[in-house]
Amino acid sequence: MKILGIETSCDETAAAVVEDGRRLLSNVVSSQIDIHKEYGGVVPEIAARSHIEAVLPVVHEALRVAFPTLPVADAWNQIDGIAVTYGAGLLGSLLIGTLTARTQALLHNKPLYAINHVEGHVYANFLTETTLEGYTLPHRQPEFPLLALIVSGGHTQLVLFEDHFKYQLLGRTHDDAIGEAFDKAAKILGLPYPGGPSIALAAAKGDPNAYSLPKANMADKYAFSYSGLKTALLRAAQREIGEDFTFPSHKLSERLSEAQKANFAASFQHVAIETVVDKTLKAYEEFGPKSVVIAGGVAASQELRRQLHERLPIPIDYTDPKLCTDNGAMVAALGCFVAKLKPESAKSHQADPLTLETMPNLVM
Ligand code: KG4
Ligand code: ZN
């Protein structure tokens, strides 16, 4: 079974073809990062307009790479269904992907699968085979019960999967997501968007113990909070240059030396990552899952992988960082399982191409 996946929930226009939920045949991502960089974050209106321009070329490229010897019309005949992210995400962005998928499903007479974006991130870990160059994939698929740490620009949560489509949310963030905190911290330090990679780069030259930043102490043991950490970083940076809390954050980075920025980046990254690792370890001890996976853009973090490797008793088979940030392959992979297992009343499900609506606030 070959599924075409389409993903446009935020600032990546992406499409991919996956076979049987494990074999990656193509993965095309057109990133808008350079457009949004100028504004220091994603501008929803610009994102939606960019998706309109990119979506059809990206879908065609995904088909061309998956079936290099066939013309596009014949490549469509090889596709058994179309999976598309219908939530959570930015409304305008989601609309472009879902309308494209709905139209193509009607045009080519294919079943349509509506995919929950956050659940999709987890399924990037089910991809174990590819002939595409430049991918390092896990050697085998995760097993159930499966503990998933989902860390992205919009989500920070621990989810325990008993089986496909049967899961329990252990806890999530009460305010900012970890990726959002990285992006905001980068802005304070005058580092480019997206914050995760640019903080990692600066942190490589810094001392993670240079500044003591707090971990949120939550009543609920699997809950997260990242808004305090961001503010703590701001206050520490203001103090460092001899100013008080009234000093404007956008002027801070001009007054910080490269060494100070590196130390702040390293200290911030260390604590931000240690917080999710602490709770993953706690959940591992409580529930004893067979596999642990990490998913979402922040799962690309080498520091997260390093800390988990150091502290978790079982090894994690990590996926390629390119499959951690938003992509169509994760959507297509989950689409294969929806098509095969036909879950009833699940968040990811088969949908009617005439009526599928977007759900910007969809949760797991
Ligand atoms: O999953 P994703 O591409 O989009 C959402 O669904 O949110 O995640 C984007 C987030 C951004 O906040 C970005 O700063 C973070 O993932 N990110 C990273 C890395 N690459 C992207 N964070 C830490 N280390 C990275 N290498
Ligand atoms: Zn995402």
Side-chain angles (χ1 to χ4, degrees), residues 36 51 57 178 200 343:
H36 299 289
H51 284 308
I178 181 171

Side-chain angles (χ1 to χ4, degrees), residues 328-352:
M330 66 189 210
V331 175
L334 177 51
C336 290
F337 287 97
V338 175
K340 186 172 146 201
L341 303 172
K342 303 189 170 52
E344 275 177 34
S345 66
K347 298 270 167 76
S348 299
H349 55 267
Q350 183 159 354
D352 182 345

Side-chain angles (χ1 to χ4, degrees), residues 114 149 225 287 355:
L149 170 68
S225 166
F287 300 102
T355 58

Side-chain angles (χ1 to χ4, degrees), residues 91-168:
L91 173 63
S93 292
L94 288 167
L95 274 172
I96 309 308
T98 51
L99 285 172
T100 303
R102 288 170 58 183
T103 311
Q104 299 295 333
L106 288 169
L107 204 61
H108 300 283
N109 196 23
K110 307 288 179 193
L112 179 66
Y113 305 108
I115 300 298
N116 176 333
H117 177 84
V118 184
E119 214 175 303
H121 270 300
V122 175
Y123 279 75
N125 292 286
F126 282 81
L127 295 164
T128 55
E129 296 169 31
T130 191
T131 52
L132 298 177
E133 266 178 44
Y135 285 84
T136 311
L137 300 182
H139 296 297
R140 54 194 186 96
Q141 292 189 317
E143 289 180 86
F144 297 103
L146 164 67
L147 176 66
L149 170 68
I150 305 167
V151 278
S152 73
H155 301 270
T156 308
Q157 55 197 46
L158 274 164
V159 181
L160 186 67
F161 282 73
E162 194 184 310
D163 204 341
H164 295 290
F165 309 108
K166 273 179 138 177
Y167 53 78
Q168 171 195 354

Side-chain angles (χ1 to χ4, degrees), residues 288-318:
K290 275 201 176 141
S291 300
V292 178
V293 299
I294 56 173
V298 182
S301 161
Q302 290 306 318
E303 176 64 13
L304 174 58
R305 294 172 181 213
R306 191 190 65 74
Q307 287 194 24
L308 280 171
H309 177 74
E310 220 174 77
R311 296 178 58 196
L312 204 69
I314 56 165
I316 297 188
D317 223 354
Y318 297 110

